[in-house]
Amino acid sequence: MNITPLQKITYGLYVVGTSDKGRPTGCIINTCFQVTSENPIVAISMNKNNYTHDAIISHRRFSLAILAEESDTSLITTFGFQSGRDRNKYDGRDYTWQHDVPILKGKFSGHIVCELLHVADNETHDVFFARVIDTLPDDGTPMTYTYYHQVIKGRAPKNAPTYVEEEKAPATEAPQTTTSTKRYVCEVCGYIHEGELPDDYKCPVCQAPRSCFKEL
Ligand SMILES: Cc1cc2nc3c(=O)[nH]c(=O)nc-3n(C[C@H](O)[C@H](O)[C@H](O)COP(=O)(O)O)c2cc1C
């Protein structure tokens, strides 16, 4: 099957945050949409292997920080490529608690606080349907998934519903180069580097060391 049309579906990017028995935890998602307008319901798709998945099922509440183009991109590194199983992702971040969920401070397009209504099983992922119980407006320009790919040159890891293996990624995400230019892929996040790799090189998206890069 040609997956190119699937890659034309548009998304935003969000930090979904929740409480893990009082400890803030969360991850990056791109899969969020509004399901109903009156007394709104939203839906998010969560990989069952993500720590945040289990934390939301236990806590039954979560926040969505809508990432803006002006947002600190290290949020994507921390929340999108590391797990709350291994570290406290909110350490060193400015945040408050509201409605018993963490709300990140900084440049965003707004925040949404949600209460879990029900869970739909979809093989590798569960879709969480949730009632919006509060919102906090902000004025950043929403970061689209396309902006993330084309401007930040980021990729999605295996647990993201939109993950694409490097071999199947379209040319727009990995620009054409002359055959003499070496290309390396970061095996952690899929970022593609063109040209020689210095020994002290670190992935600009996920901070993985040079040893995590494989020549294409
Ligand atoms: C751009 C991007 C989009 C992502 N979208 C999703 C998503 O929609 N759903 C999901 O379950 N994981 C998604 N992920 C993957 C999780 O953020 C990632 O697996 C994270 O490390 C999980 O952390 P946790 O174990 O603390 O929950 C995405 C990651 C990135 C970088």
Side-chain angles (χ1 to χ4, degrees):
M1 183 170 59
N2 184 336
I3 61 164
T4 311
L6 293 178
Q7 294 169 334
K8 305 260 167 84
I9 297 174
T10 57
Y11 305 93
L13 279 177
Y14 314 85
V15 178
V16 50
T18 190
S19 167
D20 174 29
K21 302 183 188 76
R23 178 185 74 120
T25 198
C27 73
I28 294 286
I29 58 164
N30 61 284
T31 49
C32 170
F33 68 99
Q34 186 172 344
V35 179
T36 65
S37 61
E38 267 178 49
N39 203 2
I41 291 172
V42 293
I44 62 173
S45 174
M46 291 293 303
N47 189 293
K48 292 176 185 176
N49 293 327
N50 284 344
Y51 191 75
T52 311
H53 169 277
D54 293 2
I56 291 175
I57 291 207
S58 300
H59 188 59
R60 303 198 70 80
R61 266 192 196 184
F62 59 88
S63 56
L64 291 165
I66 305 168
L67 285 186
E69 290 179 4
E70 304 82 4
S71 293
D72 177 356
T73 51
S74 76
L75 286 164
I76 302 176
T77 309
T78 308
F79 284 87
F81 293 97
Q82 299 175 1
S83 180
R85 264 183 212 95
D86 316 315
R87 60 162 296 184
N88 295 323
K89 296 187 188 180
Y90 284 77
D91 279 1
R93 304 266 171 207
D94 204 4
Y95 68 96
T96 54
W97 288 95
Q98 289 192 37
H99 302 283
D100 213 13
V101 289
I103 306 287
L104 284 163
K105 291 188 183 172
K107 295 187 170 123
F108 292 97
S109 301
H111 300 264
I112 301 171
V113 180
C114 305
E115 192 150 274
L116 186 62
L117 290 176
H118 45 258
V119 179
D121 186 322
N122 293 278
E123 299 167 2
T124 52
H125 289 69
D126 276 334
V127 176
F128 293 164
F129 292 88
R131 178 80 65 200
V132 175
I133 57 170
D134 202 1
T135 62
L136 286 87
D138 206 340
D139 55 10
T141 307
M143 185 192 291
T144 63
Y145 203 43
T146 306
Y147 182 93
Y148 173 65
H149 283 301
Q150 294 184 351
V151 181
I152 301 182
K153 305 251 181 260
R155 303 291 288 264
K158 284 202 168 124
N159 284 356
T162 48
Y163 169 71
V164 181
E165 286 172 56
E166 165 51 23
E167 294 72 29
K168 294 184 190 154
T172 52
E173 289 181 27
Q176 299 288 338
T177 53
T178 60
T179 46
S180 60
T181 307
K182 286 188 174 171
R183 296 172 75 225
Y184 300 85
V185 61
C186 172
E187 295 193 292
V188 178
C189 73
Y191 174 76
I192 293 175
H193 173 89
E194 294 180 358
E196 290 302 326
L197 273 186
D199 285 345
D200 59 352
Y201 187 79
K202 277 199 176 146
C203 176
V205 176
C206 73
Q207 312 301 314
R210 191 202 183 293
S211 55
C212 294
F213 279 78
K214 186 181 80 178
E215 190 171 348
L216 290 171

